[in-house]
Amino acid sequence: MDNLPDDLQRKITQLRELDSQCKEIMQDIDRHHLCMNEAEGQAKRKSYIIFQRALLKFQEIGDEKLNMLSFIIDLIENRSRQLEQDLENLDPTLGKDNDKEDFSSNTKVKQENDRNEKTGSKRQRRQKTHDISKDEDKKEEKDRVSKKKKKRKTKKEKESEKSPIDPPIDPDEPTYCDCNQVSYGEMIGCDNDLCPIEWFHFSCVNLTSKPKGKWYCPRCRGDKSNVKRQDK
């Protein structure tokens, strides 16, 4: 306290005096508050007025303390700047050294940022190249799968379009037609009740659709040119 400047010592002393006044006012406020609760009528009203004045006084002292604290802070900052200026006047190279250190520090930070940006840029390029390669691989794999599916589909369609030329024959299944084969596809029956074969394949009797009216096979019609020789 004794080493502080005189004006700063005076302000701190005044601040302590204001603290003492605040304590006294707080004691008065507590006392008048008790009296106000116990008093009645005119005495209670008088205690209320005194209580209100004490609060206003306490508020004024609080504002004065805030102003004084602000003044003390400004005073300390001014003295601090003055000391720095005196120090620079005593040693002019000190400020230059500080500037050099700041410049060196800023340069190092800038170089570090540049390295980080270059590293990040390289990583981004590598990542981009890797992503492009992955996309191309996925596209090629998708094309291969699509081609395989297309081939399988085409093969199935071709197989479904083929007519059963040689259907599996059950030894116990009856045979029909001049070709002596089992029943398959569309067939037509001969209207001759005495026909020994009865049923014929459309393709064997050169039919594409069922004719209208009665139909007789080439054998029953006597058309020998259209009768296929029976397989032996």
Side-chain angles (χ1 to χ4, degrees):
M1 183 72 179
D2 296 335
N3 296 327
L4 295 175
D6 294 338
D7 49 357
L8 188 58
Q9 290 184 20
R10 286 195 299 271
K11 292 297 180 181
I12 293 176
T13 302
Q14 293 176 4
L15 191 62
R16 288 178 175 176
E17 292 176 356
L18 291 175
D19 286 336
S20 299
Q21 293 180 16
C22 286
K23 290 180 181 179
E24 293 177 359
I25 293 173
M26 284 298 298
Q27 292 175 358
D28 292 340
I29 289 174
D30 292 337
R31 185 171 59 255
H32 289 301
H33 185 263
L34 292 174
C35 294
M36 187 173 59
N37 291 332
E38 295 175 356
E40 294 181 357
Q42 190 69 21
K44 186 173 183 178
R45 183 178 180 183
K46 185 177 180 180
S47 298
Y48 178 77
I49 293 173
I50 296 173
F51 180 78
Q52 188 176 13
R53 289 176 180 175
L55 288 176
L56 292 174
K57 182 65 176 178
F58 186 82
Q59 185 177 1
E60 291 176 358
I61 294 175
D63 294 337
E64 188 175 355
K65 286 175 66 178
L66 289 175
N67 293 331
M68 194 171 295
L69 285 173
S70 178
F71 178 81
I72 291 173
I73 292 172
D74 293 338
L75 185 62
I76 292 173
E77 289 179 352
N78 292 332
R79 289 303 176 92
S80 178
R81 285 193 294 269
Q82 186 176 356
L83 289 173
E84 291 177 357
Q85 186 65 36
D86 293 340
L87 184 60
E88 290 180 2
N89 293 333
L90 292 174
D91 189 2
T93 60
L94 183 62
K96 294 181 180 179
D97 292 339
N98 291 334
D99 293 339
K100 289 181 180 179
E101 290 178 359
D102 294 339
F103 177 77
S104 177
S105 177
N106 293 332
T107 303
K108 289 181 180 179
V109 171
K110 185 177 180 181
Q111 291 176 352
E112 185 67 23
N113 291 334
D114 292 340
R115 284 197 296 270
N116 292 335
E117 289 178 359
K118 290 180 180 179
T119 304
S121 179
K122 289 180 180 179
R123 288 178 180 174
Q124 289 178 357
R125 287 197 295 270
R126 287 198 296 268
Q127 183 66 29
K128 186 175 181 181
T129 304
H130 181 65
D131 293 340
I132 292 173
S133 178
K134 286 177 66 177
D135 293 339
E136 290 178 353
D137 293 340
K138 288 181 180 179
K139 187 176 180 181
E140 291 178 358
E141 182 66 22
K142 188 176 180 180
D143 292 340
R144 286 197 296 270
V145 173
S146 178
K147 288 180 180 179
K148 289 181 180 179
K149 289 183 178 179
K150 191 173 181 180
K151 287 181 180 179
R152 287 198 295 268
K153 185 177 180 181
T154 305
K155 187 176 180 181
K156 288 181 180 179
E157 289 177 352
K158 289 182 179 179
E159 290 177 354
S160 63
E161 290 175 357
K162 292 181 180 179
S163 59
I165 297 175
D166 295 324
I169 299 174
D170 186 353
D172 297 331
E173 187 175 357
T175 58
Y176 305 93
C177 192
D178 291 325
C179 63
N180 197 26
Q181 297 291 333
V182 296
S183 173
Y184 66 84
E186 291 188 87
M187 300 185 69
I188 187 170
C190 181
D191 288 324
N192 184 6
D193 295 336
L194 300 177
C195 181
I197 299 176
E198 295 184 2
W199 290 95
F200 299 84
H201 301 105
F202 269 30
S203 59
C204 293
V205 292
N206 298 324
L207 290 178
T208 57
S209 61
K210 187 176 181 180
K212 295 181 180 180
K214 293 185 177 182
W215 179 85
Y216 296 93
C217 68
R219 187 184 297 273
C220 294
R221 290 200 308 266
D223 188 1
K224 296 182 179 180
S225 61
N226 289 333
V227 176
K228 291 186 178 181
R229 188 173 59 184
Q230 185 174 0
D231 295 337
K232 293 183 179 180

